[in-house]
Amino acid sequence: MSTIKAVEWVDGKLVLLDQTLIPIEEKYLHLSDVDSIIDAIKRLAVRGAPAIGVAGAYAVVVALDEVERVKAGSEKLEQMIDAIRDARPTAVNLAWAVERVRKFVAQGREAVLAEADQIAKEDRLSGDAMGSIGADWLINRLGSKPLTLLTHCNTGSLATTSIGTALGVVRTMHSRGLVKEVYADETRPLLQGSRLTAWELEKSSIPYRILPDGAASMAILSGRIDAALIGADRIARNGDSANKIGSVAVALACHEAGIPFLVVAPESTVDRSKKDGSEIDIEIRKDEEITHFKGLQVAPLGAKTFNPAFDVTPSKYISAVITEIKAYEIAKGEVL
Ligand code: MRU
């Protein structure tokens, strides 16, 4: 069980733990207007595919309240809902959750709120299931011994309403006494690994170290790592998986080293309308995220950038995709 609550609905407001401030400060945002929620999603105050799905669902309730407050019509409401859905393009959970609650708008606010609660509940329950399916998979493959596990970005309670996806498997392994150490990639440029994953591991007393993204392949090829686990923002039906930039480099190194590379995500992250990864829209973020660090210029003024937030790992480099339902044996040719 994790006590971290990244996204919650409290007294008619969306309450978000502002992830831009962690690990320095634990501050909650209490949001009751759609623009502030969209801003929070875009600037990653709330982030991680399942968490932004849940936030997006509750944001539709906020949109209904706002339209009522300012006496706007249904056209304005639809525009607001579209804007919530489109706040970030790669994680399918956001669009999936928003469209799921949109279907209840005609039935009124309470029906929309009930559906948003249901999405949050399903997400909460999915973590434990992924945790045990993933841990069982690792034990089957590598035996019941303490492992050194590498992970990328943050896939824990900050990114979900549960124990997490990939980090949920790590937590489950730890609860079974099977984690020797976690290598947490720092995750450039926004440091979700060294700021957020390390913060969660620290709180859970799970042994860890952080490493620059560029050190991950060295760690893997030098035999320090037994398996790598990542989350996903969207998984195509052939298993190609979009996740935080840098994930594919981890997968390639695992393939070369012959160690398992697992993608752990709820079924809500699987997008069966996408044949393969080439159909996944990758978010490109602004120059300043890499030309500046906390407002300080760290590159020549006017430097051109390439700043994709995500990459796609081809299914041929993935050992298995773990969801709350099952382990899809991607390396054995299984599709989703
Ligand atoms: O840009 P972010 O921080 O939202 O990216 C998050 C990731 O890439 C996560 O690995 C993914 O959303 C899965 S979270 C359980």
Side-chain angles (χ1 to χ4, degrees), residues 60 63 76-85 98 102 105:
V60 176
K76 176 69 182 163
L77 176 67
E78 291 303 323
Q79 280 170 8
M80 285 167 132
I81 297 176
D82 287 350
I84 298 163
R85 179 197 60 199
V98 168
R102 194 204 292 257
V105 166

Side-chain angles (χ1 to χ4, degrees), residues 22-42:
I22 291 174
I24 307 300
E25 205 182 328
E26 288 176 41
K27 184 177 153 199
Y28 288 86
L29 305 168
H30 297 251
L31 306 177
S32 55
D33 70 279
V34 168
D35 283 349
S36 305
I37 297 174
I38 290 175
D39 179 60
I41 293 173
K42 284 185 191 285

Side-chain angles (χ1 to χ4, degrees), residues 5 33 109 158 162 175 186 205 217 237 247 275 290:
K5 292 198 189 312
D33 70 279
R109 180 190 192 273
L158 289 169
S162 71
S175 70
E186 69 173 353
S205 305
S217 48
R237 64 176 185 267
S247 297
K275 157 172 79 52
I290 45 180

Side-chain angles (χ1 to χ4, degrees), residues 18-136:
D18 186 346
Q19 300 189 33
T20 63
L21 304 175
I22 291 174
I24 307 300
E25 205 182 328
E26 288 176 41
K27 184 177 153 199
Y28 288 86
L29 305 168
H30 297 251
L31 306 177
S32 55
D33 70 279
V34 168
D35 283 349
S36 305
I37 297 174
I38 290 175
D39 179 60
I41 293 173
K42 284 185 191 285
R43 65 184 183 84
L44 274 52
V46 60
R47 45 145 302 281
I52 63 173
V54 173
Y58 284 123
V60 176
V61 185
V62 171
L64 279 162
D65 289 346
E66 201 170 327
V67 160
E68 174 80 18
R69 226 170 26 238
V70 301
K71 309 261 176 280
S74 59
E75 197 179 324
K76 176 69 182 163
L77 176 67
E78 291 303 323
Q79 280 170 8
M80 285 167 132
I81 297 176
D82 287 350
I84 298 163
R85 179 197 60 199
D86 299 339
R88 293 189 78 190
T90 304
V92 67
N93 303 63
L94 178 58
W96 168 83
V98 168
E99 293 304 341
R100 188 168 147 183
V101 297
R102 194 204 292 257
K103 292 197 184 85
F104 289 82
V105 166
Q107 292 175 44
R109 180 190 192 273
E110 291 317 300
V112 174
L113 179 57
E115 191 62 7
D117 283 341
Q118 180 60 24
I119 289 172
K121 182 177 168 195
E122 287 169 18
D123 184 60
R124 201 159 53 243
L125 295 176
S126 72
D128 289 344
M130 285 183 277
S132 47
I133 294 171
D136 290 348

Side-chain angles (χ1 to χ4, degrees), residues 19 41 44 46-52 88 91 93 123 130 151-160 164-167 187 190 192 195-196 230-234 242-245 247 264-266 269 283 285 309-310:
Q19 300 189 33
I41 293 173
L44 274 52
V46 60
R47 45 145 302 281
I52 63 173
R88 293 189 78 190
N93 303 63
D123 184 60
M130 285 183 277
T151 193
H152 189 75
C153 196
N154 171 267
T155 61
S157 300
L158 289 169
T160 62
T165 61
L167 210 61
T187 314
L190 296 177
Q192 288 93 327
R195 291 189 304 107
L196 310 179
I230 63 161
D233 287 82
R234 194 182 293 248
N243 190 55
K244 179 52 55 190
I245 193 69
S247 297
V264 188
T269 302
E283 175 184 1
R285 292 183 63 87
F310 304 98

